Amino acid sequence: MLADRKVRGIVCFVAIAFGLAWLVALPLWLGDGLFDARFGTVALAVMSTPAMAALLMVFIIERPQGKARALGLWPLRPVGRLFVYLGLGLVVPVALVLVALPVGDVLGVYPGDFKTFSAFRMILNGQLLAAGQVELPLPIETLVALQFVNVLIGAFINLVPALGEELGWRGWMLPRLMVYGPVKAIVISGVIWGAWHAPLVLLGYNYPMAPGWLGVLLMIGMCTLVGAVFGWLRLRSQSVWPAALAHGAFNAAAGFHLVFASAGAPVNTTHGTILGWSGWIVPLVLVVVLVATKQFRHAAAPQLPSQESAEAPASDR
């Protein structure tokens, strides 16, 4: 009986999140797709749909007493543990994005230039030409180093839109899936998160050189591995905030493949970068280590709303 209620809740949440994502993305399908002037706004709106679904579950459908706790927004303690995982959320995703580039270069699927940064130099020269300037204002190495500062700033700027996803996937859904065990929870949540990207991926987003169906499959693979890392941060910290910051940092670092590429060589995300299969090698090793060392062992599936109402602390009501 309780298991049936859990399954129904998850199915309801997924149906709402997917339905809203397709509904919000519909103007792009009826318009110019990725070239639609509204693309940026629509993409941000799509990112908010898992949070909308989670809020509907918490405030209208399930209505637990500890609403903030049910979403992973509260409590923010112990503070020391929270800050440790916030720090890991800021560093680990960026490291995974970066390490994917030399791995892809060694395997011959990413055209890396880690010495002269020729692609980045070409991009900057184009921007300077458009602005009527001739020379770079700083040495190229300094400009590359500044990109790391931009990623740090971008991680916090991206925190709000990233929370639009994490509030649903890791905040609400993942802890409920943990009743099936960590490996199954990782795989199920990763498949769901990856498939949810279909409205944009089928238009050619993220994988422009792959057919739509392959892009969706690749997104599912990437989301399963990266989502496991985000899930580890959420479950170990017992808070959605480290996962949201990690997601923000991951998105902010996504452009690094342009910084370290060779000029004139196309980057095929089907094979290279963190999006492609070569970029999954290191995250896969990390996830295997996390599972083998039982890093998910303290995570417990949340109680059903009827149980939470009797046990939620007064500070969370």
Side-chain angles (χ1 to χ4, degrees), residues 33-213:
L34 301 184
F35 303 100
D36 196 296
R38 299 165 292 181
F39 177 79
T41 302
V42 170
L44 283 174
V46 170
M47 287 184 70
S48 70
T49 58
M52 293 180 190
L55 291 173
L56 285 172
M57 295 300 299
V58 167
F59 284 94
I60 296 179
I61 299 174
E62 289 187 344
R63 292 182 292 179
Q65 292 294 323
K67 294 178 175 58
R69 185 183 295 272
L71 294 168
L73 293 169
W74 191 264
L76 302 178
R77 62 178 186 270
V79 175
R81 180 182 67 186
L82 179 62
F83 273 95
V84 166
Y85 284 100
L86 284 170
L88 289 170
L90 199 57
V91 173
V92 173
V94 178
L96 293 178
V97 170
L98 287 172
V99 76
L101 304 181
V103 170
D105 185 50
V106 169
L107 295 174
V109 294
Y110 172 75
D113 181 357
F114 304 99
K115 294 182 178 180
T116 65
F117 315 106
S118 53
F120 187 47
R121 187 189 298 271
M122 184 176 68
I123 293 171
L124 293 176
N125 285 334
Q127 294 174 346
L128 288 173
L129 183 62
Q133 301 180 30
V134 178
E135 296 183 357
L136 294 175
L138 295 170
I140 188 67
E141 294 81 6
T142 302
L143 294 173
V144 169
L146 287 174
Q147 300 311 302
F148 289 86
V149 178
N150 289 338
V151 167
L152 177 63
I153 297 171
F156 288 96
I157 293 175
N158 291 339
L159 179 61
V160 173
L163 190 62
E165 290 193 44
E166 292 306 313
L167 204 63
W169 306 132
R170 257 66 63 177
W172 187 90
M173 184 179 71
L174 180 61
R176 284 158 178 76
L177 289 172
M178 289 299 290
V179 69
Y180 302 110
V183 175
K184 288 183 179 179
I186 289 168
V187 173
I188 294 171
S189 62
V191 170
I192 292 172
W193 183 33
W196 167 85
H197 288 84
L200 299 183
V201 172
L202 290 173
L203 290 173
Y205 193 57
N206 293 122
Y207 299 97
M209 297 184 183
W213 64 268

Side-chain angles (χ1 to χ4, degrees), residues 232-288:
W232 163 63
L233 294 170
R234 189 271 188 259
L235 294 167
R236 292 293 289 184
S237 67
Q238 294 297 307
S239 172
V240 74
W241 294 108
L245 185 59
H247 197 147
F250 183 82
N251 288 351
F256 268 132
H257 73 274
L258 299 175
V259 175
F260 296 104
S262 297
V267 177
N268 188 343
T269 53
T270 305
H271 304 289
T273 80
I274 190 67
L275 293 172
W277 62 267
S278 67
W280 304 348
I281 296 173
V282 174
L284 176 60
V285 173
L286 175 59
V287 171
V288 169

Side-chain angles (χ1 to χ4, degrees), residues 287-312:
V287 171
V288 169
V289 170
L290 292 175
V291 173
T293 56
K294 303 184 185 302
Q295 290 299 300
F296 299 95
R297 66 186 183 278
H298 293 309
Q303 297 170 313
L304 289 174
S306 60
Q307 296 170 303
E308 290 178 320
S309 61
E311 300 183 12

